[in-house]
Amino acid sequence: MATSTRPTLLKLPEILAELGMSRAAFYRMRARGHAPRLVKLPNGQLRCRRADLDAWLESNEITQAA
């Protein structure tokens, strides 16, 4: 039996908890184009692929100079 390899879709409260920010702050960041890529479902709910969130976090990582 084949296993499905569908990407994990995170709900907005899960994203907010992981980022440690409020919904309002997230929507402000999204309006400025600085939020991770989201998927809008037919019912209007927003989801984020785990891979997209991880990539976004990596791209916003600050490395300290030695």
Side-chain angles (χ1 to χ4, degrees):
M1 186 181 276
T3 58
S4 176
T5 57
R6 291 190 337 209
T8 302
L9 294 175
L10 302 171
K11 295 178 181 179
L12 190 56
E14 295 170 325
I15 299 165
L16 297 175
E18 188 164 330
L19 297 177
M21 67 173 37
S22 70
R23 183 179 297 261
F26 182 82
Y27 279 114
R28 282 193 303 270
M29 189 170 63
R30 185 172 179 240
R32 294 182 187 120
H34 299 294
R37 193 166 73 167
L38 300 176
V39 176
K40 189 170 187 177
L41 301 178
N43 64 2
Q45 293 181 354
L46 297 174
R47 298 286 188 272
C48 183
R49 291 180 185 92
R50 165 51 66 188
D52 289 342
L53 181 59
D54 290 342
W56 179 81
L57 286 169
E58 280 185 30
S59 72
N60 286 294
E61 201 171 84
I62 298 174
T63 56
Q64 294 200 357

